[in-house]
Every structure is written in structure tokens, then in C-alpha cells.
Amino acid sequence: MSLKAQIDAYNVQKEAKLPGDVLALIAQTNEELIAQHIKDNALQVGAKVSNFSLNNHSAEQVELADLLNNGPVIISFYRGNWCPYCNLELKALNNHLPEFKTHNAQLVAISPQLPDETLSSAQKKCP
């Protein structure tokens, strides 16, 4: 099932379970975010970024330049393992790992989530 189909199915379940006032608040918030055009400032597919380093889920510092020495890097930014949409996206990306590897590409998922929770996500998503 495609990622879009999975998201659509999740949305149907969400709409069946949540009260109308909560759904209305979610819709209003989404409309406000769209009206702010925040996507215009987001990185786009294929964008080049400056070198940076971050700690991974094992508290080891990882530098983008070092990863790029081994081939292309696919970066996914996600909110945390509490986000059902992020979980669906990470699962879909994980399903494409064999294809990424044929291009010598590495998948890197970046989240502001605390390391102990990130380790939990890494263990769940990347066997």
C-alpha cells in the first residue's frame, strides 16, 4: 500500500474516533499553517545544505560531510515517534532501504526528540 493510501486510511480512522470539535480545531490549525506559506521556506528535494554535525541515537557525533564521503544522503526530518504521520513516513522510507542501497545512498532521520526516545524509534524502525 502506498504512503498516501496509508495516510488516507489513518485519516479515515482518525475522523471516526475524534470528536467533531477536535477535528474542527485540527482543520483550522492546518488552514492557518497553509496560509502562512511555511512550506516556501522548507528544504526542497535535491536541496544542497551546508555541512553540520549532530549526535545520533547513540550520542555519537555524526557529520554530514563524513556521510557524504560514502555516497548520497537522504535526510528525513520528523517530529518524533509520537507522530503517526512521521511513523508512516519512516516505515515507507525503511521499506525503500534496499533501493537506496543500490544507489549507495544512506537514509538519515533527524528529530528534535530526546535521545532515549529516539533510540526507541531507531530500534523499532531499523531492525
Side-chain angles (χ1 to χ4, degrees), residues 4-118:
K4 181 178 181 340
Q6 291 177 53
I7 290 172
D8 289 345
Y10 171 78
N11 285 335
V12 168
Q13 290 178 348
K14 177 182 76 175
E15 289 176 14
K17 292 180 181 178
L18 292 178
D21 59 331
V22 173
L23 291 171
L25 180 60
I26 290 170
Q28 177 186 346
T29 303
N30 285 341
E31 289 172 16
E32 290 170 1
L33 290 170
I34 290 167
Q36 293 175 19
H37 301 282
I38 59 174
K39 72 175 187 172
D40 296 340
N41 294 319
L43 289 174
Q44 301 300 310
V45 172
K48 305 280 186 205
V49 297
S50 299
N51 189 40
F52 62 87
S53 63
L54 294 170
N55 289 344
N56 67 12
H57 60 277
S58 299
E60 301 163 334
Q61 191 170 17
V62 177
E63 192 168 325
L64 178 61
D66 292 337
L67 295 174
L68 287 169
N69 285 335
N70 296 317
V73 176
I74 301 162
I75 300 175
S76 174
F77 295 96
Y78 71 103
R79 296 184 287 185
N81 69 355
W82 54 267
C83 173
Y85 297 103
C86 298
N87 288 330
L88 290 171
E89 180 179 320
L90 288 173
K91 181 180 175 187
L93 287 168
N94 193 51
N95 289 339
H96 287 282
L97 283 178
E99 180 184 345
F100 299 157
K101 288 180 182 179
T102 65
H103 298 284
N104 203 32
Q106 303 169 74
L107 173 62
V108 175
I110 298 175
S111 172
Q113 191 168 311
L114 296 174
D116 58 337
E117 292 297 323
T118 301

